[in-house]
Structures are given as C-alpha cells and as structure tokens.
Amino acid sequence: MELELSINGVIESLDVAPNESLLSMLRREGYYSVKHGCETGECGACTVLVDGVPRPACVTLATQTGGCTLTTVESLGNARTLHPLQEAFIDTGAVQCGFCTSGMLLSAAALLKQNPSPSEEEVREALSGNLCRCTGYAKPVQAVLRAAALMRGEAVQPVSSPASDRAFQPWKPEAPSEIQTPSATPGEAARTNELSVVGRSERKIDAIKLVTGKPAFTDDINMRGMLYARLLTSPHAHAIIREIDVSEARALPGVHAILTYKDVPRLAYNSAGQSWPEGGPHDQYVLDERVRFVGDRVAVVAAETIEAAEQALKLIKVEYEILPAVFDLRMSTSSQAPRLHLAEDSSGVSDPAHNVAAQVQAQVGDVERGFAQSDLVIEGEYLVPQVQQAPIENHVAVTCWDEDRRLVVRSNTAAAYHVRRILSSLTGLPPRRIRVLRPGVGGNFGAKQDLVIEDLCALLTLATDRPIRLEYSRTEEFTSSRSRHAQIIRMKTGVKRDGTIVANSMKVLANTGAYGAHALAVQSNTGAQTLPIYPCPNMYFEARVVYTNLPPAGAFRGYGAPQGFFALESHIDEIARQLDMDALDLRRKNWIKEGDEIRLVRELSATKENIERIVRSCGLPECLRIVGEGLHWKEKRGKQSGDRFQKGVGIAIAMHGPTLIGPAMASAMLKLNEDGSFNLLVGTGDGSSDTLIAQITAEVLGVQIEDIILQPLDTDTTPFNADVTSSVYSSGGAALKAAEQVREQLLEVAGRMLKSTPGQLNIKDGRISSSDGRSITVSQVALQSLYGENRHQIMAIASWMSTLAPASFGAQGAEVEIDTETGVVRVLKCISAIDAGRAINRVIAEGQIEGAVAQALGYAVSEELLYDQRGNMLTTDLSSYRIFNAPDMPVLETHLVETSEPGGPYGAKDAEEVAIDAMAAAIANAVADALGVRVRQLPLTPERVLRILRAQAQSHNG
Amino acid sequence: MLINLLEYHWAEDLDDALLLLARSDVKTVPLAGGTYLLGSENEEIQAVVDLRDLNLAYIEEGARDSRGRPLLRIGSMTTLTTLATSPILRDLATGVLAQSAQCSSSSQLIRNSATLGGTLATGASSQADLLTGLAVLDTEVVLRSGSKTQVNLVGGLPERPGFALSGVTFKGKQERRVSSLLLADELRENELIIEAAFPLPDPGSGGSFMRIGRTQSDAALLNAAAIVEVKDGNYQRVRLALGGVNMLPVRLTAVERQLEGQPISSEGSTLDIQRLANTLQTGMTGFQPPSDVRATGGYRRVVGMNLAFRVLEEATNVSRWRNMVSSEGR
C-alpha cells in the first residue's frame, strides 16, 4: 500500500506492506541512523521522532505514521554544521560505540524542544528508553545538559580539545623547495619532551560519523540480490534429530536454500576467537544431528525476504528423539547425568565421560602446609550467575562473493583474523579466498569474540551464490549467543592473627553450557587475575569446567576475573570481620606491590612461556586512598542504624592484565599521503580504543589527530592482530612502533631537504624544523618523497610483541541502601579509581570505566539468565533481563590514577577490563556492611536479600 | 513481526472501526500504540484498525455516574505519557494514577506510544503498574461493539415501494461497562475499549502508590496503591490494590471492609499501626500472587503485606492532613 509522509522535511510517497515496521521501512529507504537492537521497543536504538515525539520504530507499523512528520538523526545536523546536541555528545565523550547515539540524540532533542532548561533527573528520564551498554550514561547526561546550556546561549567550557576544521580545509600543495625561514627566535624549534597529543582529551576519531547517523555498522548496507537468512533452533535441551524434512519449506516461493546437518561437512571446531593453535575443546559442528540446548542450531534458510525465510522455518518438519538433559553444573559430572559430547565425536575435551570440558590446576608452595601454619582458616562458597553481554547491536553478518570469487564476510566480529581461520576450515576455502571486513561494532564486551553466525552465512553464500544477510533477533541473542560463565567458587584462606595471608586457595566449578568455547581460558583467567593480587607463599587454584544443556558461555568483559574477584574480595571482607580488622588494612597488608612478581600466572598459562611478570607500575595504594576517602570509609563503615532503610559502604580492589596466551602480539601499518595525512591500519578487536591509538601515532609523528585516518579492519589489508580486545597496550604499541619507523623516514627525507641531519630535526604540528629554525611541512616531505628524487612511499609496517605482562589496577567502592522490609538494594554511589598507566585520553578512559561500572551494577543486582525446568530460557528480552538505564544509575565518581608503565606506549596500560572486576564485590561488601549478614550469591535481588534477612532473624530468634 | 497481517485500516469513524472488528472471517484487532501488538508476533492477526483519528485521546471531567457522582473519563487512545503528566491526574488522589502510568514502563519511548486502551486490553502481559492504579479507583471500562446486517430488499421498503435497497447495511451498536478488574475475563474479541471512567475521589482523600523492582525503574515485582478517605477520625472509604509484573491487580476488599467505619487511631492522635497491621494480617490471607521469573509468589505475598501497610499508612496520613487543612479553612 502507498504511504504518504514527511521524512526529514521531504514529502515521500512510499510503498509499504501492511505488516512492515517503521524501522524496516526507514532502513530500507537508507535512513541507517535508525538501528535495530530489539523487537520490543525496549532498547531505543530505533528511536524516531513522530510528529516531534520520540517513539520506538520497531514496534510502530510504518502505516501508523501515514500523514505524520518523521525526523531522524540524518536531519539533525551534518558534519560541517553539527546540532548543539551532536557537538556536545562529541565534546563530552558521550559517544563510544555510537550504536545507541542516534536514539539518544533524538530523545534529547525532543526534550530540549519542550524544556530548554531540564534538570539532570529530567534528562535521565528523557533518555530512559535508550539503553546504552558502553557509557554508563554519565557522559550522555552531561552532554544533554551542556547542549541545553549552549542552546540557551550560555558560555560553557569545552570538555575535550576543541574541534579542528583541519580535515575539511582545501589542500594547497606547497613546493618541496619552499622552505620557511625562521620568523621566531632561533632555537624555538628545539626538541621538546612535552607531549602535544597524548594526554589530551581528543575528540573520538569517528564521532562525527556516529552522531550524524552515517552508515558505519555492519548492517548499514543493502546489496543487490541479497537474500535473508533465518535460523531454526532446537526447542529441546537435548535431542537427536531422527528425521528432518525440508521439502515443503524448500518449495516455498522465494526460498533459495536450506541447510541442515545433512548438507554440511561434520567438522568439529571451537567457536572461540583465540590464537592458533586453538586450545579447544573442538566440540561444536556447524549443524549437527544432535542438539544440546534450547536454541541450538537445527537448520538455516535463505530466502528473498525475511518473511519468506520465517515462513520456511515453520514448514521444516523435524522429528526429535528427546534425550535426558542436565542443567545443574553440580549434577553434570554425576554418573547419572547424560553425556553431551562423545569422545569419538570431539577432540580436546578434558573428560567427556564426566562432562568435563576443561580443567586446570596450579599451585605455588604448598597450601595444605600453609593452612596448617595459619592461626585461622576461613572458608566460603560464592555463586555467580550466567549473564549476557547484551550489546545493543545484535550479531549480524553479510557474506557474498566478490568479482574474483573470493568470499567477502562483512561482520561485527571482534576476532576478524580468527574468524577467517575458522571459516577456512569450515568452508574448505583457503584463507586467501576469504576476506573479512569489520566495520564499526555496536558494542562487543566479548559477545562478538566468537564465531556465532558467520559460518552459516558463508555456507549459504556458497550454496546460493548470492549475498546473504543473517542477523540475530534480540531473543536469539539471549538463547543462541554467548554469555559469562556461571561459577561456584570455594575460597579457603589461612591467615595469621595479624592478618598476614599464609595460604590462599580458590576452587572453581564453572558452567560452559553445551559447548566449551572459552572454557579453559576464561576459567584459567579467574585464578590468574585474582589470586596473585595477594601474593603469599602458598597459593592454589583449580577449575573444573563442565558441560550442561544450556546455551554456551564465552567471553565477557573481564574474562573470568569479575567472577573471581566477587569471591576473593567478598572473602577478604569476611576474613577481616573474623579477625576484627579493618578490611582496607587487611588488603594493604597483603596486596601486591611494585617490584613484586605476579605469581601463579606462569603455572596457569597455556604456553608456560617464561614471560617476565614483575609489577613495574602500581597505583593501587592511591586508588584505595581515593575510594576510601570518597566513601568516608572511617565515618560510615560498620554503622548499622537498625532502621528500616540500612546504609552500608563496601570496597574491593582488582588487578587485570597478566596474559595466559603467551606474549601479546599486534601489528600496524602506516602510510604517508601527499597532504601530510597518514593512513593507519591496525587490527583492534572492536575499535573502541581507536582514538587512543591514533593519538599515540600522532604524537610520535608530530602531527595532529586529524592527520591520522584510521581504516576499518579488513583482513586483506590490515596487518595481523592476535589480540581480540582493543588493547591500547598491544595495538597502541604496534602503532607506536610503526610510527617511529615512519618518523625516521620522514626525518631522513626532510634532512636532505633542509640539509640537516635527522637528529637535529623536530616535528611539531605537522611541521619539521631544523635547529636553525627553517622548516617544511610533512606534506612537502610527502611530495618530495613521491615526486622528487629517490621516489618512494614513506610507510612502515611493524609488529609488536611484549614479553612483559603489565597489570592495570583499581579500587572500587559503593554506598548502598537496603529496604529491610522488601530486600531491595539501592546503590547510591559508585566510586572507581583506576590505574591504567598514563591516561592517553582522560575523557575516553573515564567513559570506558563508567560503562564497565554500569555493567557491573547489573551483574551485582539485576542481571541473571534464568531457565525453566526444561532448559527454556525465561529471560529473553530486555525487560525480564534487566540492564541499567539512565534513571537507574547511581552517582558515579571516576578517578584516573596515573602511573607510567615502562613497557606501555607512553606509559599506558588498559582501563576497559579492570573497571568491571571489583564493583560487584564492592556492592556485596556494602550490603554486608549494611545488614551485618552476607549474601554470597549474585545478583543481589530483593528476594535473595530478604531471604537472608529472614533467615538471620530466625536464627537470632531461635 | 505480524507475519500474516495483510490489511491495515485507518478508521475515521468509530462505527467503521466497530464494523471492521466485528468481521468473523478476517482476524481483525484494534491498533492503538502498537508497542505490545508488534512485539507479540501474533501470527493469527490478519488485519488491524488504526484508532488514532477517532478522537479517543482525552481526559475529561464533567459527567456523572448513575449514582450522581462526578466522573473522570479517559479516552482509550490517551498515552501513558499523557496520563503521567496530566495536571488533573497529578492532583488526583495524590497522583496515584499519574505515578502508576509513569512507572508502567521504564522507557519514555514506550510511554509515548503505549495507550490506556492498549494497556487494558493487554492485561497482565502489559507489565503495567497502571492496572493497579485503575483498580484502586474503581475504574469501569466502556466497551463498544458493532454488528451489521445485510438485507436484500429488491422490492423496496413498505413505505417506499419500488425503491431498491439491495446491499443496504444496517448497523447495530452495543455498549457496556465492566470493572477494570474483570476486563481480562470480560473483553470479547469484537469489542473496542472506548474509555475508562471512575468516580472522582473525595478531595479530602489521600492516595499512595509504591512499588519495588530490581532497579529503580524495573518492572514492578510488586506494586501497591491505596486511596483512603478519612472523616471524623474514621476510615470513611478505603481502596487497596496490589499488582505487579505478569499478574493482574488484586483488590483487597476484605481489608477495605474491615477498615471502613473504624477509627484510624486508638488514642485520637496517632495512627493505630497495630490495628492496621492486624487487619492486613487477617485480610490478606487470600492474597496468593503468582510466581514470575523475577520473583516467587511467596516473596510477593510476604512483601505484599509490608507494601500494603505502607500505602495504607501514607494514604491515611495524607487524608488526615488534608482534612485538617480543610477544617482550618485554608
């Protein structure tokens, strides 16, 4: 049917189906700022202004907007003339992955139109429907308030470095021979050690693209002849497919291909994006005749439309033989439990007869002897749930053949090179015939560190010779993606009366679900990141990772450390309580210090390589001081009021960094252009540290950040990167090394031009100066190198490998209030003090920390994947699975404690991971402080807390 | 996606909408905000009737019910945002209805789209606190349905012989009112929710709405609303309801009956908390809320007692205060 409406001021007449959503129509018409994040209106990524009112386009029929005026971010402003809101979002660092940004901007625009002077509470309410998993909402709220002030004509101080128009200025080539003579005092150009780009809060390098809604993400593409794929998943937790009949589905008009286990080779693989050789276990198949969880793959369909693909799924007839299933990780290893993986069907499974996917143990000293030498031995068991990364952008991939019949895989993966390698084995195509492109990633947090859909998409392209698009729904993100491992952690610690830890033991039983993707690495990390923070003569760690008939676990920010720190840091508080000792003093007495060896890591590492693991920088004491003072620890700790509403404070510390996979490796390529700009190709996991890496590069080259053009990751051109995180330390290190080589080449050419030795030259703000004050621009050097004598391209490629294992540190604290009548835990305030080495960009680092805290808050009080007794997930939307929105957030206080890491680029370490590690424990410690009783299981739901309170009351009464 | 949706009707007249909804051969449903409907992925739906141009978005005072009490009428297409921000509703019974509308979704976007009628029709699945707010106000829902009859009078009408009226459609309309508490059982497929109406509480009434969730704006594990009218130191009129996510609200009529007519304080000044607690203890024995993924029925029952106590206490205190102010002639 024909629909007339106004979109961004243009009257349009569009043909729509009665059941087409507004989201679908707008994206089909190229309004890519309107994003798909869910199908229930709960995430807000699809926000559109309908007659000026922000509404979710995914739950609005296109026909409902007939005759209406629609506004999307495409009309809010453009790259040259940004709307004050867009400007403020960039300035304050409110844009991270940028996937939710368009929605936030529209919600904010509607608010400011109605209310030019909103309060912070009103801003939070206006953003309540726009979920963001990156920012923690602090900076978006700040941005809206700042934009309001700007729009009222008030003067406001910039937060980040002012915007530069440099990239938009026309380029006028200067002849290489035009050497500028000194106008200032000779010697002014002398080499200086002052940093000009590193340490500045530069604006996010791709922010303009993101705030103007440009097609920056994987799904922002529409290919001619593209087919749409949909996945049929298992309704049973454990079953064998006895018969599968796709004939009726295949006969449906518009259906091009259906793949079942009968159509694909049966090759065991591991979906984890990890370095080769893969640790295993290799226990998964593209499609298998046995399904192992509700949501497991059964068949995949490619059709002309999503509707046809959906219809086809319903016509596939599957006869299942239902098998017994096991869901409880404690029951999984019993002799009565069904086996998920047969020994002959898989490889690398630790003990298939007992459903053990992986196990690891390591010891330093002798813990049993340590316990015997202790004055007090304290034990505790802690439980952490399976939780979901829930990035707002779902998994999506688009595959096609290129003109050379190479398979192009456009995906939001965070492990592009590993995906290429795994795809090669699953498709039979050599890596040279596979090209993986990774545009912007709309939130990763580890979810996209696995091969989740790319193989199905690729095999459909092989089967149909057509471009294929496969995107998960939000429900599928929950049922068929990856999650954080649930664990049961037993702590046993021996201490002397003075608080000295003599022996510390952590035993982990972990649930990897149906497949063992990251089973070994994540659980090894649980021990390696946590126990060494309190080095003692006797340390023991063991982990047993078991299969159950639940969706598989995988990588999630912190990679095993948040589980371990919840247990360890809760336990340390319990020890302090038993010793009648201040919990912070106990930590200070035992914690790791600069110069200490990070012990136990070598024993847990996969390669057992002899990497030096000495702490060379540690800001932990300062972090703890800041958090302690911020929480008014001495005044507030241990002050139970006995009222209905009890308040408490808690603190936990964390360390993150030691690698278990051998030396970290990254590489970068840098190329000089005629105008003095540089193309930088560096492989980062999800691009979240791109700006920091560009700053490091610019600093070395003596140019501005606008001179660095960062290319989207492309396995054809971007050099290899083994790291799937977005590490400033490793990727930044590679970029720094490449930049140093390019700088040398620049100075060599410039030296010839200025008749000076390279050692006497300095580069600053794109100008190379000799000691006598004469100077030329980098652009002139480029022109000389390309068109002058000895013509050559100034460029470099460098690999970076570290034999060091730097650790970031942090202290986090929380103040909570508990309603003892209902068990509701309200987190009032969260303070984080993080030592991530030198802050390359404070605003971005703060944003990363605040985002991590928001995720930790969910882990602490509201997030948990739940199932019924048949293994059906009950939390399949963003209502039942509750992540924090803007009004939910407590007051956030974020501090960067700067140290200088000798091995890091300009002394930098990483901030993203450590900031999620300790907050859940801090909140649990605060709850224990408030109530005088500890809840040893996350999340701290009202019901769980009330049960503990009532049990406590009964024990007092009894 | 409503995969089998083939017809979209943009009704300009209520009767047209009723006729479309009355069709038995095409599964037709009203389209209000769409937030629940589209998310439901209901494969039975073949046609929708968009109600946006039927002038059903209003909040009006002025009418009276059969007992002569002034009524407040709210059109079914009124959005939750309008309900939450309406000055009338913010003042009414200490804002019980406005607050419950505000808390019905944690998302402003949803509240901008979702409507009173859609929320009522969706019932417990709406997860909306609004249902509890409506329950405590004795809300009645006005339902209308239509029917058509096709006749073939080739020979004309008796009064106008020879005037062919083949194919003339005669429309019939029915309207009825049901309690919002009974709507889930009462609502028929061909019925359209026109409005909700409730008698305006006495200006001296106090109201209170409270809720608990895992986070501040989470769907309510449990919510409670109370409206209390105190007169001459006695509970004149008491309304108490409990609700929550994935449960229909429950009116605690036993508690209401036990309190009405009783003095609010034993000594004449302070609220008799013990009596209130005892009344709840005996009056809530029948409160058996269901379990949900977020909370068990047992938890809801235990916490329900506390929440009911708190809303009654607050509503009573507000009413007392309002009466005191009134007696001083302010």
Side-chain angles (χ1 to χ4, degrees):
Chain A
M1 57 189 289
E2 196 170 300
L3 191 68
E4 281 210 2
L5 72 173
S6 162
I7 306 177
N8 295 336
V10 178
I11 306 290
E12 303 260 16
S13 181
L14 301 171
D15 193 29
V16 299
N19 65 347
E20 184 166 18
S21 72
L22 179 60
L23 168 65
S24 164
M25 181 195 79
L26 287 170
R27 288 190 63 81
R28 177 164 58 78
E29 291 299 314
Y31 298 96
Y32 289 122
S33 70
V34 189
K35 308 291 187 198
H36 169 223
C38 71
E39 301 78 39
T40 49
E42 283 152 337
C43 80
C46 62
T47 303
V48 175
L49 298 186
V50 181
D51 292 335
V53 178
R55 291 176 60 170
C58 70
V59 286
T60 304
L61 285 176
T63 49
Q64 270 180 284
T65 60
C68 295
T69 299
L70 305 184
T71 308
T72 70
V73 155
E74 278 87 349
S75 70
L76 205 59
N78 57 52
R80 298 303 299 270
T81 319
L82 293 171
H83 184 281
L85 272 164
Q86 294 168 316
E87 167 65 29
F89 265 63
I90 296 174
D91 181 41
T92 57
V95 185
Q96 286 197 32
C97 82
F99 197 78
C100 66
T101 302
S102 296
M104 283 199 182
L105 285 168
L106 290 175
S107 292
L111 169 73
L112 296 188
K113 193 161 188 183
Q114 281 198 332
N115 180 1
S117 302
S119 64
E120 180 178 331
E121 192 183 354
E122 287 167 332
V123 172
R124 287 186 180 276
E125 198 51 56
L127 299 181
S128 61
N130 298 99
L131 298 180
C132 173
R133 209 55 167 155
C134 296
T135 63
Y137 306 101
K139 297 200 182 303
V141 170
Q142 183 191 3
V144 179
L145 291 169
R146 181 181 163 78
L150 282 169
M151 291 165 77
R152 292 193 301 265
E154 294 170 17
V156 286
Q157 289 300 310
V159 177
S160 296
S161 298
S164 160
D165 212 18
R166 193 184 180 107
F168 297 100
Q169 295 296 330
W171 174 58
K172 288 182 189 158
E174 290 177 83
S177 55
E178 288 176 16
I179 295 172
Q180 195 174 94
T181 50
S183 56
T185 319
E188 189 191 51
R191 182 178 287 274
T192 167
N193 288 327
E194 269 183 35
L195 300 176
S196 55
V197 187
V198 161
R200 282 200 342 185
S201 292
E202 296 284 358
R203 292 160 171 244
K204 186 170 160 57
I205 196 164
D206 53 351
I208 290 178
K209 168 175 75 180
L210 296 170
V211 298
T212 52
K214 292 286 180 280
F217 298 92
T218 300
D219 195 37
D220 297 345
I221 188 172
N222 196 358
M223 299 181 79
R224 188 179 291 272
M226 188 163 73
L227 301 177
Y228 296 86
R230 293 294 293 138
L231 186 64
L232 181 69
T233 57
S234 170
H236 304 294
H238 199 188
I240 289 176
I241 299 172
R242 284 295 169 212
E243 188 51 59
I244 183 162
D245 178 3
V246 299
S247 55
E248 207 177 328
R250 195 166 272 157
L252 196 70
V255 173
H256 285 250
I258 300 174
L259 301 179
T260 71
Y261 73 91
K262 296 174 181 174
D263 306 300
V264 296
R266 194 161 193 271
L267 296 165
Y269 73 100
N270 181 305
S271 68
Q274 293 178 346
S275 292
W276 181 87
E278 295 153 12
H282 291 74
D283 54 9
Q284 191 171 352
Y285 299 89
V286 172
L287 292 159
D288 198 9
E289 61 187 320
R290 182 191 285 246
V291 287
R292 297 175 177 84
F293 66 96
V294 177
D296 205 353
R297 301 161 161 197
V298 173
V300 65
V301 174
E304 296 280 351
T305 62
I306 294 176
E307 291 82 356
E310 295 271 5
Q311 294 278 22
L313 294 184
K314 295 180 202 315
L315 296 175
I316 297 174
K317 295 187 178 74
V318 191
E319 188 187 319
Y320 295 98
E321 178 190 334
I322 299 170
L323 303 173
V326 60
F327 306 116
D328 186 333
L329 74 170
R330 283 163 293 207
M331 301 297 293
S332 175
T333 54
S334 88
S335 56
Q336 280 82 42
R339 302 286 161 257
L340 269 78
H341 296 278
L342 308 176
E344 60 272 25
D345 255 7
S346 50
S347 65
V349 177
S350 181
D351 180 3
H354 295 92
N355 284 330
V356 180
Q359 49 194 331
V360 62
Q361 56 183 20
Q363 181 158 233
V364 169
D366 181 342
V367 279
E368 291 307 326
R369 199 170 59 203
F371 292 140
Q373 292 167 349
S374 302
D375 295 330
L376 197 64
V377 176
I378 296 151
E379 296 187 62
E381 185 173 277
Y382 303 87
L383 281 77
V384 286
Q386 186 188 21
V387 290
Q388 237 263 332
Q389 301 89 340
I392 305 302
E393 180 198 38
N394 298 333
H395 284 85
V396 60
V398 179
T399 54
C400 63
W401 290 117
D402 72 4
E403 54 280 12
D404 295 318
R405 203 159 173 82
R406 297 173 72 233
L407 180 71
V408 180
V409 180
R410 185 180 160 98
S411 163
N412 54 9
T413 178
Y417 278 98
H418 303 311
V419 161
R420 185 176 69 169
R421 190 187 68 245
I422 301 169
L423 273 183
S424 173
S425 75
L426 298 179
T427 60
L429 298 170
R432 75 185 68 183
R433 290 191 57 209
I434 301 173
R435 178 185 181 193
V436 179
L437 300 172
R438 194 221 63 207
V441 179
N444 167 25
F445 322 117
K448 291 157 183 167
Q449 201 178 315
D450 274 58
L451 179 104
V452 173
I453 56 171
E454 292 87 350
D455 53 334
L456 295 172
C457 213
L459 288 165
L460 283 170
T461 286
L462 265 61
T464 61
D465 282 343
R466 296 272 292 264
I468 302 286
R469 171 187 176 273
L470 175 56
E471 184 186 26
Y472 264 179
S473 65
R474 177 55 59 185
T475 300
E476 287 165 331
E477 280 295 319
F478 282 109
T479 59
S480 305
S481 178
R482 297 292 182 269
S483 54
R484 193 190 291 289
H485 294 79
Q487 292 182 352
I488 299 171
I489 305 169
R490 280 204 66 80
M491 295 296 310
K492 185 174 180 183
T493 306
V495 289
K496 293 286 188 189
R497 284 270 168 230
D498 68 353
T500 304
I501 298 176
V502 180
N504 209 359
S505 160
M506 178 186 277
K507 294 181 179 176
V508 173
L509 181 62
N511 190 347
T512 188
Y515 301 106
H518 293 256
L520 181 65
V522 164
Q523 270 58 233
S524 298
N525 225 33
T526 299
Q529 303 293 350
T530 58
L531 285 176
I533 200 168
Y534 300 114
C536 66
N538 309 292
M539 291 193 283
Y540 178 77
F541 174 77
E542 73 168 43
R544 236 176 161 211
V545 195
V546 299
Y547 291 116
T548 59
N549 293 105
L550 293 177
F556 190 162
R557 193 179 203 165
Y559 208 67
Q563 294 101 311
F565 276 116
F566 169 67
L568 177 64
E569 285 297 279
S570 298
H571 192 61
I572 290 290
D573 257 33
E574 295 206 60
I575 295 168
R577 189 182 163 114
Q578 292 210 28
L579 289 171
D580 198 20
M581 189 174 176
D582 179 80
L584 303 193
D585 287 343
L586 180 63
R587 288 179 171 86
R588 289 189 190 100
K589 190 171 186 64
N590 291 285
W591 66 19
I592 198 163
K593 302 174 196 68
E594 232 168 71
D596 285 352
E597 184 190 357
I598 304 174
R599 306 184 73 191
L600 202 69
V601 178
R602 184 154 59 93
E603 290 76 5
L604 282 168
S605 75
T607 58
K608 304 283 186 284
E609 284 181 76
N610 205 14
I611 297 173
E612 186 183 327
R613 294 181 174 93
I614 300 294
V615 175
R616 292 168 183 274
S617 63
C618 177
L620 202 43
E622 180 64 2
C623 291
L624 191 61
R625 184 193 66 76
I626 289 171
V627 175
E629 286 181 11
L631 276 183
H632 303 285
W633 178 263
K634 286 181 179 160
E635 298 82 44
K636 291 187 175 176
R637 177 74 167 181
K639 305 288 190 298
Q640 291 169 29
S641 65
D643 298 336
R644 174 187 169 191
F645 292 98
Q646 298 269 15
K647 283 187 177 179
V649 292
I651 287 178
I653 61 172
M655 171 183 85
H656 204 106
T659 172
L660 296 175
I661 53 167
M665 185 269 178
S667 44
M669 190 164 78
L670 193 62
K671 174 176 75 71
L672 173 63
N673 297 314
E674 289 161 301
D675 65 346
S677 66
F678 298 84
N679 293 109
L680 174 62
L681 291 93
V682 58
T684 61
D686 55 22
S688 58
S689 296
D690 282 359
T691 306
L692 311 182
I693 293 165
Q695 281 182 257
I696 290 165
T697 309
E699 185 67 55
V700 176
L701 294 168
V703 297
Q704 294 300 306
I705 192 168
E706 294 83 7
D707 298 318
I708 308 297
I709 304 159
L710 215 79
Q711 306 293 119
L713 196 151
D714 177 346
T715 54
D716 268 10
T717 52
T718 311
F720 182 80
N721 187 349
D723 196 351
V724 291
T725 66
S726 282
S727 171
V728 178
Y729 186 76
S730 56
S731 297
L736 180 136
K737 207 169 162 185
E740 282 174 345
Q741 292 177 21
V742 165
R743 180 190 169 97
E744 269 181 42
Q745 295 174 40
L746 272 172
L747 295 182
E748 196 181 314
V749 176
R752 283 200 296 273
M753 293 166 71
L754 291 168
K755 298 188 172 43
S756 184
T757 58
Q760 292 176 312
L761 300 178
N762 187 37
I763 320 178
K764 192 170 184 187
D765 200 18
R767 183 163 281 279
I768 302 170
S769 312
S770 65
S771 54
D772 61 6
R774 289 176 307 121
S775 66
I776 49 176
T777 64
V778 172
S779 172
Q780 287 174 291
V781 176
L783 289 169
Q784 175 67 18
S785 69
L786 293 170
Y787 303 111
E789 291 175 16
N790 188 22
R791 295 178 188 187
H792 68 288
Q793 167 73 62
I794 291 179
M795 63 184 295
I797 182 161
S799 291
W800 179 93
M801 189 189 88
S802 175
T803 53
L804 301 173
S808 305
F809 294 92
Q812 297 185 298
E815 182 172 13
V816 301
E817 181 185 77
I818 296 124
D819 181 350
T820 54
E821 284 187 2
T822 62
V824 170
V825 175
R826 191 165 160 234
V827 182
L828 304 172
K829 186 178 190 180
C830 287
I831 308 180
S832 300
I834 302 296
D835 158 28
R838 180 193 285 272
I840 302 289
N841 184 321
R842 295 189 77 88
V843 168
I844 287 179
E846 285 167 8
Q848 289 175 336
I849 292 165
E850 286 156 1
V853 169
Q855 291 177 1
L857 278 161
Y859 195 43
V861 303
S862 64
E863 294 182 35
E864 183 174 21
L865 294 175
L866 296 166
Y867 302 87
D868 69 13
Q869 299 207 339
R870 292 181 174 184
N872 295 297
M873 192 181 282
L874 301 170
T875 44
T876 56
D877 56 46
L878 291 167
S879 170
S880 52
Y881 188 84
R882 181 70 193 172
I883 66 176
F884 273 56
N885 71 354
D888 288 338
M889 290 296 293
V891 174
L892 298 187
E893 221 179 83
T894 306
H895 303 268
L896 294 172
V897 173
E898 289 204 69
T899 58
S900 186
E901 175 63 30
Y906 292 101
K909 300 186 278 190
D910 290 310
E912 280 189 285
E913 305 276 325
V914 71
I916 199 173
D917 287 347
M919 190 54 85
I923 291 167
N925 287 342
V927 170
D929 180 50
L931 301 178
V933 60
R934 179 165 292 276
V935 187
R936 295 189 180 88
Q937 183 175 3
L938 294 180
L940 305 166
T941 58
E943 182 160 2
R944 203 162 271 148
V945 172
L946 194 66
R947 279 182 196 280
I948 295 280
L949 278 171
R950 289 173 76 89
Q952 182 196 34
Q954 279 168 3
S955 70
H956 283 175
N957 294 338
Chain B
M1 171 182 282
L2 302 174
I3 201 157
N4 292 316
L5 178 66
L6 297 171
E7 295 177 18
Y8 166 83
H9 299 275
W10 184 351
E12 293 178 339
D13 181 86
L14 190 53
D15 290 349
D16 292 344
L18 294 175
L19 285 175
L20 287 163
L21 292 171
R23 295 183 298 177
S24 56
D25 52 342
V26 182
K27 171 72 175 175
T28 308
V29 297
L31 173 62
T35 51
Y36 180 77
L37 191 66
L38 268 74
S40 71
E41 301 187 349
N42 187 330
E43 293 178 18
E44 291 179 3
I45 296 170
Q46 295 169 297
V48 292
V49 183
D50 193 338
L51 310 176
R52 65 178 143 140
D53 274 358
L54 300 183
N55 297 318
L56 292 175
Y58 53 82
I59 301 174
E60 288 176 3
E61 291 176 282
R64 291 185 178 270
D65 68 5
S66 55
R67 287 153 60 184
R69 295 177 301 180
L71 284 175
L72 190 77
R73 295 164 51 237
I74 306 175
S76 62
M77 287 296 283
T78 309
T79 64
L80 298 185
T81 295
T82 305
L83 293 173
T85 54
S86 155
I88 296 174
L89 297 184
R90 282 185 158 186
D91 284 345
L92 187 141
T94 333
V96 163
L97 199 61
Q99 285 177 58
S100 65
Q102 171 73 23
C103 297
S104 287
S105 169
S106 63
S107 162
Q108 170 121 319
L109 304 173
I110 301 272
R111 295 196 298 270
N112 287 343
S113 292
T115 63
L116 169 73
T119 303
L120 281 165
T122 306
S125 301
S126 71
Q127 308 190 354
D129 291 356
L130 181 68
L131 300 176
T132 309
L134 290 168
V136 85
L137 283 160
D138 291 332
T139 302
E140 283 191 337
V141 182
V142 178
L143 305 172
R144 205 175 285 179
S145 57
S147 60
K148 63 178 181 178
T149 311
Q150 280 198 319
V151 292
N152 186 0
L153 299 172
V154 178
L157 295 169
E159 59 271 28
R160 297 183 68 179
F163 185 73
L165 280 175
S166 176
V168 164
T169 300
F170 289 91
K171 297 170 186 171
K173 282 183 284 191
Q174 294 86 41
E175 184 172 297
R176 65 191 184 114
R177 291 165 179 265
V178 299
S179 161
S180 67
L181 285 162
L182 303 174
L183 190 67
D185 293 330
E186 288 279 332
L187 184 64
R188 297 170 197 149
E189 282 201 346
N190 64 339
E191 282 182 322
L192 185 64
I193 297 171
I194 303 297
E195 67 178 25
F198 52 82
L200 285 167
D202 185 273
S205 299
S208 175
F209 175 78
M210 293 182 187
R211 65 196 304 280
I212 50 174
R214 294 166 297 184
T215 69
Q216 189 180 316
S217 65
D218 185 19
L221 306 181
L222 199 74
N223 58 40
I227 295 177
V228 175
E229 186 185 336
V230 176
K231 211 159 201 174
D232 302 328
N234 293 327
Y235 290 105
Q236 174 81 10
R237 185 166 173 271
V238 178
R239 295 291 180 269
L240 174 64
L242 294 176
V245 60
N246 291 332
M247 65 178 275
L248 286 169
V250 177
R251 272 279 293 277
L252 301 173
T253 49
V255 176
E256 294 170 2
R257 279 197 302 269
Q258 283 183 55
L259 287 175
E260 282 177 352
Q262 297 296 314
I264 61 166
S265 55
S266 51
E267 303 297 325
S269 56
T270 56
L271 188 65
D272 190 340
I273 287 169
Q274 193 54 50
R275 177 187 293 157
L276 200 55
N278 291 343
T279 306
L280 286 168
Q281 195 82 43
T282 54
M284 285 184 66
T285 49
F287 179 58
Q288 298 291 338
S291 291
D292 168 65
V293 62
R294 300 164 180 83
T296 63
Y299 171 79
R300 283 173 158 166
R301 196 156 44 80
V302 169
V303 171
M305 190 82 76
N306 294 330
L307 220 53
F309 177 86
R310 293 294 176 191
V311 289
L312 279 175
E313 182 188 34
E314 184 171 290
T316 305
N317 283 333
V318 171
S319 179
R320 268 203 322 173
W321 176 81
R322 283 188 165 171
N323 282 302
M324 280 193 285
V325 172
S326 169
S327 67
E328 288 170 5
R330 288 181 193 167

